[in-house]
Amino acid sequence: MARIATTETGLYRIPLPITLSDSTHGEIAAFELITCRIRDADGAEGVGYTYTVGRNGGSVADILAREIPALIEGREADDTEAIWNHVWWALHYGGRGGPVVLALSALDIALWDLKARRAKLPLFRLLGGFDARVPCYAGGIDLDLSVDALLEQTDDNLAKGFRAIKMKVGRPDLKSDIARVSAMRQHLGDGFPLMADANMKWTVEEAIRAACAFVPYDLTWLEEPIIPDDVAGHARIMQAGGVPIAAGENLRSLWEFKNYIAGGAVSYPEPDVTNCGGVTAFMKIARLAEAFNLPVTSHGAHDITVHLLAACPNRSYLEAHGFGLDKYIEHPLVLKDGLALAPDRPGHGIGFDWKGLAKLAP
């Protein structure tokens, strides 16, 4: 083992080719990428990152740059569990979730990348290894697209090799949502995996009504129908809606997932490695889901998460997110026959274009 010598934080604002929107976050013109680079005493480096949809990236970067170095420098880099707990409790009182857990996630990803690189193993093999081929879907941010534009985007994703698609719902009137889901089902054909994401738009009763209306269109799942704070509401939708429910991208700890899973409030637990506490927490959430015989899916950060799901026997679909990070990494995600392939390179295998990113620093 080698001790942690230095940490380095980066903050970059990456513009999107077109402004996107969903039912709750408003217009998204750019996303913020916050990176964490850890070097050990031997000079080996691990890289982690987290992101926002345009706000609060500065606070995450500030925690990584000001608070975390003093907590970790000089510690054994391989002690990921000990470091995770030390940082979690050291920062707990001033921020149990939010920017603190996003910063911890980036740090933890960097430490696991460093550990796998030192072991000369791809991350998914270090985590146990199950199957390097992971079912993958294209996650569209397309609520305000016309039906024709929605179907055109879908055809583009099919041409890229995706064999599962997620669309947005949560428009002002349910009739419009139903028409769009119906058009997608007709376009894709029976049996094609189709998911719908409401981004927390509805009340419980509205969500039940929408879920019941979507039953004829055979959704793989309905995602985030209501606010993440309402566990009992999700359970009611599960019981009355007739459609499987995915949730978790806005949950920030293993214990929040425990409440959902034990409460019968989710069909597809959906952690995001960049905001749930990193690799350490993601794998615990996946194992918890496995103990309840639930399939685990993912949100965002597909370049990292493909490794995590490749180590899970209960994995379902990897989400390929719609942000433009591919322009700034050396090896974008590879798809084959609808499956994402976890790379065999040591660590998570992401090589950032640091010079290109430097031009996007605020």
Side-chain angles (χ1 to χ4, degrees):
M1 292 193 292
R3 295 185 181 274
I4 297 170
T6 64
T7 64
E8 181 181 339
T9 300
L11 172 61
Y12 313 98
R13 187 169 181 84
I14 300 182
L16 294 170
I18 59 172
T19 298
L20 303 173
S21 63
D22 62 28
S23 65
T24 54
H25 295 103
E27 292 188 346
I28 305 170
F31 79 99
E32 296 171 304
L33 176 73
I34 307 99
T35 59
C36 177
R37 301 170 76 175
I38 302 291
R39 297 182 186 90
D40 67 20
D42 292 336
E45 180 180 274
V47 177
Y49 76 84
T50 186
Y51 68 93
T52 79
V53 293
R55 297 287 184 274
N56 289 339
S59 59
V60 180
D62 192 56
I63 292 166
L64 276 167
R66 291 181 51 182
E67 304 292 346
I68 285 179
L71 296 172
I72 66 170
E73 287 177 4
R75 298 182 69 103
E76 293 288 353
D78 276 353
D79 291 346
T80 46
E81 193 73 44
I83 292 172
W84 195 99
N85 276 273
H86 181 60
V87 173
W88 173 265
W89 289 112
L91 302 181
H92 187 270
Y93 189 83
R96 184 171 165 273
V100 167
V101 78
L102 269 68
L104 174 56
S105 299
L107 166 66
D108 188 75
I109 292 166
L111 289 171
W112 276 99
D113 183 41
L114 175 59
K115 183 186 290 193
R117 290 189 189 204
R118 288 179 61 88
K120 297 182 173 56
L121 289 172
L123 181 56
F124 79 92
R125 294 200 187 281
L126 184 67
L127 293 171
F130 177 71
D131 188 341
R133 302 162 300 170
V134 181
C136 185
Y137 74 85
I141 304 177
D142 48 36
L143 185 67
D144 292 329
L145 296 183
S146 68
V147 171
D148 286 344
L150 174 65
L151 299 183
E152 182 180 350
Q153 175 183 271
T154 298
D155 286 339
D156 288 343
N157 284 323
L158 294 175
K160 292 174 184 175
F162 290 102
R163 296 297 177 263
I165 302 288
K166 187 174 79 178
M167 62 180 294
K168 297 293 187 184
V169 292
R171 290 166 72 90
D173 60 301
L174 180 57
K175 183 178 180 181
S176 175
D177 278 333
I178 295 170
R180 292 163 68 82
V181 172
S182 176
M184 281 286 279
R185 174 50 71 205
Q186 184 175 357
H187 189 71
L188 294 170
D190 292 342
F192 189 98
L194 173 63
M195 302 83 161
D197 184 357
N199 289 109
M200 309 171 287
K201 175 66 174 178
W202 298 312
T203 66
V204 174
E205 296 305 325
E206 288 171 336
I208 292 172
R209 184 175 173 226
C212 290
F214 294 149
V215 167
Y217 306 107
D218 188 28
L219 293 180
T220 302
W221 68 61
L222 175 62
E223 186 171 325
E224 283 203 310
I226 61 173
I227 57 173
D229 316 83
D230 189 357
V231 181
H234 278 86
R236 285 179 56 200
I237 299 164
M238 287 269 290
Q239 293 165 4
V243 174
I245 299 297
E249 70 182 75
N250 281 291
L251 303 184
R252 297 294 181 259
S253 74
L254 169 67
W255 303 281
E256 290 182 347
F257 276 92
K258 183 267 293 183
N259 291 337
Y260 264 73
I261 292 170
V266 64
S267 312
Y268 290 84
E270 184 191 13
D272 184 324
V273 67
T274 69
N275 68 31
C276 74
V279 176
T280 297
F282 186 105
M283 296 307 293
K284 291 179 180 179
I285 293 163
R287 303 308 187 211
L288 174 66
E290 183 181 8
F292 279 80
N293 200 27
L294 293 178
V296 65
T297 183
S298 67
H299 176 263
H302 55 245
D303 306 288
I304 299 167
T305 315
V306 65
H307 284 276
L308 311 190
L309 294 184
C312 294
N314 61 320
R315 84 305 181 58
S316 58
Y317 287 95
L318 171 74
E319 178 185 39
H321 59 70
F323 297 139
L325 191 58
D326 284 358
K327 290 173 59 178
Y328 302 98
I329 62 175
E330 186 178 358
H331 301 286
L333 185 72
V334 174
L335 284 178
K336 184 176 180 181
D337 300 325
L339 303 172
L341 307 182
D344 261 337
R345 299 181 295 276
H348 52 49
I350 301 171
F352 280 107
D353 174 9
W354 296 110
K355 289 183 179 180
L357 286 173
K359 300 174 184 178
L360 303 176

